[in-house]
Amino acid sequence: MTITPQEEIMIKALREAALPPLFVLIRIRNEIANDTINVEESRRDDVVKTLEQYIAPLWEDYHKDRK
């Protein structure tokens, strides 16, 4: 999967803000899922599915740690 310059800038900005990885992944996923202007539908679906694969285990770990 190729990352566009816009996606790279967004990822760098979120990293520099020192946000938790789970928050960053969810935020990126939501931004891409809702971007109907800049991201083609087929690419949007692929990226969202890929990000959800990374989010799922982190989300489970987050809930285990809270208990």
Side-chain angles (χ1 to χ4, degrees):
M1 178 172 74
T2 305
I3 296 175
T4 66
Q6 181 183 12
E7 292 166 343
E8 187 174 346
I9 290 168
M10 183 171 57
I11 291 168
K12 286 180 181 178
L14 289 168
R15 283 184 183 163
E16 290 171 3
L19 298 169
L22 180 58
F23 175 83
V24 171
L25 288 173
I26 291 171
R27 179 67 189 258
I28 291 171
R29 181 231 173 260
N30 291 343
E31 290 292 326
I32 292 171
N34 295 318
D35 190 346
T36 58
I37 296 171
N38 299 312
V39 183
E40 296 173 14
E41 185 176 355
S42 62
R43 176 151 171 78
R44 189 170 54 240
D45 292 342
D46 289 342
V47 172
V48 167
K49 287 177 185 176
T50 300
L51 287 169
E52 287 175 348
Q53 291 176 348
Y54 290 105
I55 292 169
L58 292 172
W59 188 251
E60 291 173 10
D61 289 346
Y62 170 77
H63 283 289
K64 287 179 187 175
D65 291 344
R66 289 188 69 200
K67 291 182 180 180

